[in-house]
Amino acid sequence: MVGESRGALPHGRDLSDKREGADRMQTAIRRRLNELGLRSRLRARPRLQGRILASAGLRRRLPSAPGLYCPFYHDVPPEYANDLRRHLRALQRIGPMISWDDALAVLSGTKPLTGPVFCLSFDDAHPTWLEVAAPVLLELKVPAMFFLTSGMVGQPGNMTWQDCRDLLAAGFDFGSHTVTHHRLADQDDAAATREFVESKREIEDELGVEIKDFAAPYGHPAVDFGDRDVGIARDAGYRSFATTLRPAMHPGHSAMFIHRQGLHPAWPIMAVRTRVHD
Ligand SMILES: [Zn+2]
Protein backbone atom coordinates (compact mmCIF):
# COMPACT_ATOMS: atom_id res chain seq x y z
CA MET A 1 0.00 0.00 0.00
CA VAL A 2 2.82 2.32 0.88
CA GLY A 3 4.53 1.47 -2.40
CA GLU A 4 1.39 2.30 -4.36
CA SER A 5 1.06 5.70 -2.76
CA ARG A 6 4.76 6.46 -3.28
CA GLY A 7 4.52 5.46 -6.92
CA ALA A 8 1.64 7.90 -7.42
CA LEU A 9 3.71 10.92 -6.40
CA PRO A 10 3.95 13.48 -9.18
CA HIS A 11 7.71 13.93 -8.70
CA GLY A 12 8.41 10.26 -7.97
CA ARG A 13 8.55 8.99 -11.54
CA ASP A 14 12.33 9.10 -11.87
CA LEU A 15 13.04 7.45 -8.53
CA SER A 16 15.04 4.26 -8.75
CA ASP A 17 13.79 1.09 -7.06
CA LYS A 18 16.55 1.53 -4.50
CA ARG A 19 15.36 5.00 -3.61
CA GLU A 20 11.77 3.78 -3.36
CA GLY A 21 12.94 1.04 -1.01
CA ALA A 22 14.68 3.65 1.14
CA ASP A 23 11.52 5.78 1.17
CA ARG A 24 9.42 2.78 2.22
CA MET A 25 11.90 2.13 5.01
CA GLN A 26 11.71 5.79 6.11
CA THR A 27 7.92 5.66 6.12
CA ALA A 28 7.98 2.49 8.23
CA ILE A 29 10.45 4.06 10.67
CA ARG A 30 8.34 7.22 10.85
CA ARG A 31 5.21 5.17 11.63
CA ARG A 32 7.03 3.21 14.33
CA LEU A 33 8.45 6.35 15.96
CA ASN A 34 4.98 7.91 15.92
CA GLU A 35 3.65 4.82 17.73
CA LEU A 36 6.41 5.02 20.33
CA GLY A 37 5.85 8.76 20.83
CA LEU A 38 9.60 9.39 20.41
CA ARG A 39 9.16 11.98 17.70
CA SER A 40 6.81 14.11 19.77
CA ARG A 41 9.01 13.74 22.87
CA LEU A 42 12.05 14.99 20.93
CA ARG A 43 9.98 17.81 19.44
CA ALA A 44 9.20 18.95 23.00
CA ARG A 45 12.97 19.38 23.57
CA PRO A 46 14.02 21.29 20.45
CA ARG A 47 17.53 22.26 21.63
CA LEU A 48 18.33 18.58 22.25
CA GLN A 49 16.68 17.58 18.98
CA GLY A 50 18.80 20.22 17.19
CA ARG A 51 22.03 18.91 18.73
CA ILE A 52 21.19 15.34 17.70
CA LEU A 53 20.39 16.44 14.14
CA ALA A 54 23.49 18.66 13.92
CA SER A 55 25.88 15.71 13.65
CA ALA A 56 24.09 14.63 10.45
CA GLY A 57 24.46 18.21 9.17
CA LEU A 58 28.21 17.62 8.78
CA ARG A 59 27.49 15.70 5.58
CA ARG A 60 25.18 18.39 4.15
CA ARG A 61 25.48 21.98 3.07
CA LEU A 62 22.92 24.71 2.64
CA PRO A 63 21.84 24.84 -1.02
CA SER A 64 23.89 26.44 -3.78
CA ALA A 65 22.15 25.12 -6.93
CA PRO A 66 18.91 26.62 -8.31
CA GLY A 67 15.92 25.26 -6.37
CA LEU A 68 12.80 26.34 -4.48
CA TYR A 69 12.90 25.59 -0.76
CA CYS A 70 9.90 26.12 1.53
CA PRO A 71 11.09 26.00 5.15
CA PHE A 72 8.34 26.14 7.75
CA TYR A 73 8.01 26.60 11.48
CA HIS A 74 5.27 26.20 14.10
CA ASP A 75 5.54 28.08 17.40
CA VAL A 76 8.27 30.69 17.92
CA PRO A 77 8.52 31.19 21.70
CA PRO A 78 10.16 34.53 22.68
CA GLU A 79 13.40 32.85 23.79
CA TYR A 80 13.92 31.74 20.18
CA ALA A 81 13.42 35.11 18.44
CA ASN A 82 17.16 35.60 17.95
CA ASP A 83 17.52 32.04 16.69
CA LEU A 84 14.81 32.62 14.09
CA ARG A 85 16.62 35.82 13.02
CA ARG A 86 19.87 33.81 12.69
CA HIS A 87 18.19 31.14 10.53
CA LEU A 88 16.59 33.68 8.22
CA ARG A 89 19.81 35.69 7.86
CA ALA A 90 21.73 32.51 7.00
CA LEU A 91 19.18 31.68 4.27
CA GLN A 92 19.07 35.29 3.00
CA ARG A 93 22.84 35.17 2.45
CA ILE A 94 22.21 32.34 -0.06
CA GLY A 95 19.12 33.51 -1.89
CA PRO A 96 16.01 35.71 -1.73
CA MET A 97 13.00 35.00 0.48
CA ILE A 98 9.93 35.11 -1.76
CA SER A 99 6.16 35.12 -1.23
CA TRP A 100 3.88 32.11 -1.75
CA ASP A 101 2.55 33.74 -4.95
CA ASP A 102 6.11 34.05 -6.28
CA ALA A 103 6.92 30.45 -5.28
CA LEU A 104 3.96 29.27 -7.38
CA ALA A 105 5.21 31.46 -10.24
CA VAL A 106 8.60 29.69 -9.99
CA LEU A 107 6.88 26.31 -10.26
CA SER A 108 4.77 27.40 -13.24
CA GLY A 109 7.86 28.79 -14.95
CA THR A 110 6.65 32.41 -15.12
CA LYS A 111 9.33 33.54 -12.62
CA PRO A 112 12.89 32.48 -13.50
CA LEU A 113 14.84 30.32 -11.05
CA THR A 114 18.54 31.23 -11.16
CA GLY A 115 19.69 30.08 -7.72
CA PRO A 116 18.31 28.88 -4.40
CA VAL A 117 15.14 30.74 -3.33
CA PHE A 118 13.21 30.37 -0.10
CA CYS A 119 9.50 30.66 0.69
CA LEU A 120 8.62 30.67 4.38
CA SER A 121 5.47 29.41 6.09
CA PHE A 122 4.12 28.76 9.59
CA ASP A 123 1.53 26.15 10.67
CA ASP A 124 -1.33 25.95 13.24
CA ALA A 125 -2.45 29.11 15.14
CA HIS A 126 0.29 30.22 17.51
CA PRO A 127 -0.03 33.63 19.23
CA THR A 128 3.77 33.98 18.98
CA TRP A 129 3.35 34.49 15.21
CA LEU A 130 2.17 38.01 15.94
CA GLU A 131 4.18 38.68 19.10
CA VAL A 132 7.55 37.13 18.17
CA ALA A 133 7.80 36.01 14.53
CA ALA A 134 6.18 38.98 12.75
CA PRO A 135 8.56 41.63 14.18
CA VAL A 136 11.56 39.56 13.02
CA LEU A 137 10.03 38.98 9.58
CA LEU A 138 9.23 42.68 9.14
CA GLU A 139 12.72 43.67 10.29
CA LEU A 140 14.34 41.35 7.73
CA LYS A 141 11.69 42.04 5.04
CA VAL A 142 10.78 38.34 4.80
CA PRO A 143 7.33 37.52 3.35
CA ALA A 144 5.50 34.58 4.92
CA MET A 145 2.43 32.38 4.57
CA PHE A 146 0.50 31.43 7.71
CA PHE A 147 -1.42 28.15 7.42
CA LEU A 148 -4.22 28.46 9.92
CA THR A 149 -6.11 25.65 11.66
CA SER A 150 -9.43 27.50 11.75
CA GLY A 151 -10.93 25.52 14.66
CA MET A 152 -7.98 26.46 16.90
CA VAL A 153 -8.49 30.20 16.44
CA GLY A 154 -10.02 31.75 19.57
CA GLN A 155 -9.27 28.66 21.67
CA PRO A 156 -7.17 29.16 24.84
CA GLY A 157 -3.47 29.41 24.00
CA ASN A 158 -4.11 30.14 20.33
CA MET A 159 -4.53 33.22 18.15
CA THR A 160 -7.67 35.27 17.99
CA TRP A 161 -9.25 36.36 14.71
CA GLN A 162 -8.13 39.92 15.53
CA ASP A 163 -4.52 38.64 15.79
CA CYS A 164 -4.96 37.13 12.32
CA ARG A 165 -6.36 40.38 10.94
CA ASP A 166 -3.36 42.25 12.41
CA LEU A 167 -0.96 39.84 10.65
CA LEU A 168 -2.88 40.25 7.41
CA ALA A 169 -2.73 44.05 7.74
CA ALA A 170 1.06 43.75 8.21
CA GLY A 171 1.20 42.21 4.72
CA PHE A 172 1.37 38.48 5.44
CA ASP A 173 -0.57 35.74 3.62
CA PHE A 174 -2.99 33.17 4.97
CA GLY A 175 -3.84 29.63 3.92
CA SER A 176 -5.82 26.75 5.42
CA HIS A 177 -4.43 23.99 7.64
CA THR A 178 -7.86 22.30 8.11
CA VAL A 179 -10.51 22.92 10.77
CA THR A 180 -9.54 20.30 13.36
CA HIS A 181 -5.90 19.36 12.61
CA HIS A 182 -6.92 15.71 12.44
CA ARG A 183 -4.90 13.49 10.10
CA LEU A 184 -6.74 13.55 6.74
CA ALA A 185 -5.87 9.92 6.03
CA ASP A 186 -7.93 8.86 9.07
CA GLN A 187 -11.11 10.63 7.91
CA ASP A 188 -13.93 9.45 5.66
CA ASP A 189 -14.73 11.40 2.49
CA ALA A 190 -17.39 13.64 4.07
CA ALA A 191 -15.27 14.56 7.09
CA ALA A 192 -12.19 15.21 4.94
CA THR A 193 -14.23 17.43 2.61
CA ARG A 194 -15.42 19.48 5.59
CA GLU A 195 -11.78 20.10 6.63
CA PHE A 196 -11.10 21.77 3.28
CA VAL A 197 -14.40 23.54 2.64
CA GLU A 198 -15.29 24.81 6.12
CA SER A 199 -11.82 26.08 7.02
CA LYS A 200 -11.66 27.97 3.72
CA ARG A 201 -15.09 29.52 4.25
CA GLU A 202 -14.47 30.53 7.87
CA ILE A 203 -11.05 32.08 7.25
CA GLU A 204 -12.45 33.96 4.24
CA ASP A 205 -15.42 35.24 6.32
CA GLU A 206 -13.19 36.37 9.18
CA LEU A 207 -10.34 37.90 7.17
CA GLY A 208 -12.12 39.06 4.02
CA VAL A 209 -9.55 37.56 1.63
CA GLU A 210 -9.74 34.54 -0.67
CA ILE A 211 -8.02 31.43 0.74
CA LYS A 212 -6.41 29.46 -2.09
CA ASP A 213 -3.57 27.56 -0.44
CA PHE A 214 -3.61 24.52 1.83
CA ALA A 215 -1.12 22.67 4.02
CA ALA A 216 -1.86 19.11 5.17
CA PRO A 217 -1.49 18.39 8.92
CA TYR A 218 1.61 16.23 9.53
CA GLY A 219 2.04 16.35 5.77
CA HIS A 220 3.63 13.03 4.89
CA PRO A 221 2.13 11.24 1.86
CA ALA A 222 1.15 7.61 2.44
CA VAL A 223 0.93 8.28 6.20
CA ASP A 224 -1.02 11.50 6.65
CA PHE A 225 -2.91 12.14 3.39
CA GLY A 226 -3.53 10.57 0.01
CA ASP A 227 -4.39 11.36 -3.60
CA ARG A 228 -8.06 11.61 -2.55
CA ASP A 229 -7.26 14.63 -0.38
CA VAL A 230 -5.37 16.42 -3.15
CA GLY A 231 -8.45 15.88 -5.33
CA ILE A 232 -10.81 17.24 -2.66
CA ALA A 233 -8.56 20.30 -2.28
CA ARG A 234 -8.66 20.95 -6.01
CA ASP A 235 -12.48 20.59 -6.09
CA ALA A 236 -12.79 22.94 -3.10
CA GLY A 237 -10.96 25.67 -5.02
CA TYR A 238 -7.41 25.45 -3.70
CA ARG A 239 -4.56 26.19 -6.10
CA SER A 240 -1.77 24.72 -3.95
CA PHE A 241 -1.34 21.82 -1.52
CA ALA A 242 1.67 21.72 0.82
CA THR A 243 3.23 18.53 2.18
CA THR A 244 6.27 17.78 4.31
CA LEU A 245 8.29 15.96 1.67
CA ARG A 246 11.60 17.78 1.66
CA PRO A 247 13.55 17.74 -1.64
CA ALA A 248 14.11 20.99 -3.56
CA MET A 249 11.45 21.90 -6.14
CA HIS A 250 11.93 23.13 -9.71
CA PRO A 251 9.86 24.65 -12.53
CA GLY A 252 7.31 22.11 -13.79
CA HIS A 253 6.68 20.55 -10.37
CA SER A 254 3.04 20.54 -9.24
CA ALA A 255 1.67 23.29 -6.98
CA MET A 256 -0.67 20.58 -5.67
CA PHE A 257 2.32 18.80 -4.11
CA ILE A 258 4.57 21.45 -2.57
CA HIS A 259 7.60 20.21 -0.66
CA ARG A 260 8.43 21.92 2.63
CA GLN A 261 11.20 21.55 5.18
CA GLY A 262 10.08 21.61 8.83
CA LEU A 263 12.47 23.56 11.09
CA HIS A 264 12.57 24.65 14.72
CA PRO A 265 14.17 28.01 15.55
CA ALA A 266 16.03 26.37 18.45
CA TRP A 267 18.09 24.29 16.03
CA PRO A 268 21.69 25.22 15.16
CA ILE A 269 22.34 25.93 11.46
CA MET A 270 24.06 22.53 11.28
CA ALA A 271 20.64 20.97 11.97
CA VAL A 272 18.93 23.24 9.42
CA ARG A 273 21.37 21.77 6.86
CA THR A 274 19.81 18.32 7.36
CA ARG A 275 16.50 19.71 6.06
CA VAL A 276 17.46 22.48 3.62
CA HIS A 277 20.22 21.28 1.29
CA ASP A 278 21.00 20.67 -2.39
ZN1 LIG B 1 0.05 21.52 11.97
Side-chain angles (χ1 to χ4, degrees):
M1 261 181 10
V2 172
E4 278 167 26
S5 305
R6 193 68 188 84
L9 297 185
H11 317 314
R13 275 178 236 118
D14 56 353
L15 290 177
S16 68
D17 288 350
K18 197 173 157 197
R19 172 82 184 278
E20 283 189 19
D23 281 350
R24 262 198 298 278
M25 178 78 81
Q26 269 206 345
T27 299
I29 291 170
R30 191 179 292 266
R31 281 198 171 129
R32 185 69 189 129
L33 290 178
N34 276 343
E35 283 161 20
L36 293 171
L38 284 181
R39 295 181 80 222
S40 52
R41 257 186 279 166
L42 260 190
R43 270 199 294 269
R45 299 190 60 190
R47 292 264 186 229
L48 173 64
Q49 186 189 32
R51 281 199 297 275
I52 292 169
L53 283 172
S55 56
L58 280 170
R59 294 183 288 116
R60 302 284 195 186
R61 329 162 166 231
L62 292 174
S64 55
L68 168 66
Y69 298 85
C70 301
F72 75 105
Y73 297 89
H74 294 90
D75 196 10
V76 187
E79 63 267 35
Y80 301 132
N82 278 327
D83 300 282
L84 177 67
R85 188 180 286 107
R86 201 162 37 82
H87 281 196
L88 298 180
R89 282 200 171 129
L91 298 178
Q92 278 184 315
R93 278 195 289 273
I94 299 167
M97 311 283 299
I98 64 174
S99 68
W100 199 264
D101 277 353
D102 282 348
L104 298 186
V106 165
L107 295 181
S108 69
T110 53
K111 184 180 168 68
L113 181 67
T114 56
V117 297
F118 304 98
C119 176
L120 196 65
S121 53
F122 293 80
D123 285 7
D124 303 341
H126 300 283
T128 57
W129 291 353
L130 185 63
E131 295 154 10
V132 183
V136 174
L137 299 175
L138 292 170
E139 172 199 326
L140 300 181
K141 298 187 166 54
V142 173
M145 165 66 85
F146 291 90
F147 286 110
L148 201 57
T149 304
S150 64
M152 290 166 74
V153 180
Q155 299 297 319
N158 291 286
M159 301 187 88
T160 65
W161 285 113
Q162 187 55 50
D163 292 337
C164 299
R165 284 189 279 272
D166 289 349
L167 271 182
L168 186 72
F172 297 107
D173 296 321
F174 277 91
S176 165
H177 191 47
T178 72
V179 178
T180 67
H181 207 279
H182 292 158
R183 194 170 261 110
L184 290 163
D186 294 341
Q187 303 193 48
D188 65 24
D189 294 353
T193 301
R194 280 198 297 276
E195 298 283 0
F196 290 93
V197 171
E198 290 181 12
S199 60
K200 185 179 197 301
R201 188 165 52 218
E202 186 170 22
I203 301 168
E204 288 178 345
D205 283 352
E206 292 287 349
L207 303 189
V209 292
E210 192 183 356
I211 297 299
K212 300 176 280 191
D213 307 293
F214 180 86
Y218 314 104
H220 196 266
V223 179
D224 304 318
F225 70 91
D227 291 342
R228 175 202 67 172
D229 302 299
V230 178
I232 296 174
R234 197 176 268 121
D235 292 345
Y238 291 97
R239 63 175 180 171
S240 74
F241 187 110
T243 74
T244 54
L245 279 197
R246 296 203 292 254
M249 297 191 78
H250 299 97
H253 281 171
S254 171
M256 296 308 281
F257 210 102
I258 303 241
H259 297 175
R260 294 193 302 163
Q261 300 82 34
L263 304 179
H264 193 290
W267 293 356
I269 297 296
M270 286 289 273
V272 172
R273 282 161 47 163
T274 65
R275 298 292 187 264
V276 182
H277 55 77
D278 277 323

